[in-house]
Amino acid sequence: MELSTRAPQLFRHCPRAAILTHMTTTKSLSRSPELMNRDDTALLVVDVQAKLLPLIPGSGRMVWNIRRLIDGAKILGLPVAATEQYPQGLGPTAAELAAKLGTIPGKLAFSCGECGELFADWQQRGIWKVLVCGIETHVCVGQTVHDLLGEGFRVYVAADAVAARGSIDHEFGLRRMDSSGATLTTTEAALFEWCERAGSPEFKQISQLIREAAPAHDGPA
């Protein structure tokens, strides 16, 4: 009881500046290992091929989100890679995205694990977190995510930047990845997480991506 009655008196005699100084010099909490960072995370764009997009409900918004993730990764210096599933038959990556990507390896396996050189390079650079986006949720995205988890990567999935032809396949694809240990997130959450703080030089550019108006249509880009 003595402490509770004296505390208000102590603060009355303590200068406000001294209180603020104490608050600002207190050591910050360590950043959680659950969070992505610009120096330990890469972006993987899985099989966003133009020929498939007309079959995917909401593909216009999905491509928009993937494009914002690519732009954000480039602003913040994150590695970005993409793949194409059987490009001889399914064609190239959507032009809007391909223009922002480098060489895109093709594959026959559904999992991007077949493109092992991508991940070996990331491992050598200390990149052990991967944000995955693309199509389809329950096939190429899902199998890739499970293979990455099996390899020891920490895997994140942008739920608003993956899609599938069928809603039930999309829903249960996300559920299975979640239950297997992948972390579900969103495009906006990932961009803010990569940026980490408002005072960084890149924050204004990331904010512009966040404030972009969503596409008026929700069909193919």
Side-chain angles (χ1 to χ4, degrees):
M1 291 299 292
E2 181 182 356
L3 178 61
S4 62
T5 56
R6 289 186 60 196
Q9 297 175 2
L10 290 173
F11 280 103
R12 279 201 298 271
H13 296 291
C14 184
R16 184 170 180 271
I19 297 174
L20 292 175
T21 299
H22 175 72
M23 291 173 63
T24 56
T25 56
T26 301
K27 185 178 183 297
S28 300
L29 297 179
S30 298
R31 188 161 169 84
S32 170
E34 300 290 322
L35 297 170
M36 295 179 284
N37 304 283
R38 66 173 77 186
D39 59 352
D40 65 6
T41 306
L43 174 65
L44 179 63
V45 181
V46 180
D47 306 348
V48 188
Q49 289 154 264
K51 198 170 183 178
L52 298 173
L53 294 180
L55 307 174
I56 306 290
S59 62
R61 182 176 289 265
M62 179 198 68
V63 170
W64 173 64
N65 281 326
I66 293 173
R67 194 267 304 157
R68 292 196 297 159
L69 287 171
I70 295 171
D71 286 347
K74 289 180 176 293
I75 289 167
L76 295 165
L78 280 74
V80 181
T83 61
E84 291 175 346
Q85 176 66 25
Y86 184 51
Q88 297 89 339
L90 297 178
T93 296
E96 177 184 357
L97 304 182
K100 297 176 178 291
L101 299 165
T103 302
I104 303 176
K107 60 186 177 66
L108 292 176
F110 296 125
S111 171
C112 298
E114 185 173 83
C115 304
E117 66 281 356
L118 295 177
F119 311 112
D121 176 64
W122 289 349
Q123 289 170 330
Q124 291 172 4
R125 297 164 60 183
I127 304 293
W128 284 96
K129 295 176 182 176
V130 182
L131 178 68
V132 180
C133 59
I135 55 180
E136 289 185 72
T137 313
H138 63 303
V139 188
C140 297
V141 170
Q143 292 188 32
T144 297
V145 165
H146 284 89
D147 282 348
L148 287 171
L149 289 169
E151 187 65 20
F153 285 93
R154 182 65 192 268
V155 186
Y156 303 77
V157 180
D160 57 353
V162 296
R165 288 162 295 158
S167 60
I168 192 166
D169 288 320
H170 175 67
E171 176 188 351
F172 279 89
L174 287 174
R175 287 192 188 187
R176 185 176 179 189
M177 289 184 284
D178 181 37
S179 67
S180 296
T183 299
L184 302 185
T185 186
T186 65
T187 297
E188 181 169 323
L191 290 171
F192 277 127
E193 202 165 310
W194 293 345
C195 189
E196 187 176 352
R197 58 191 307 115
S200 66
E202 304 91 350
F203 174 69
K204 185 175 181 180
Q205 294 171 276
I206 296 298
S207 296
Q208 290 172 346
L209 292 176
I210 296 296
R211 292 196 300 266
E212 274 189 25
H217 62 90
D218 209 23

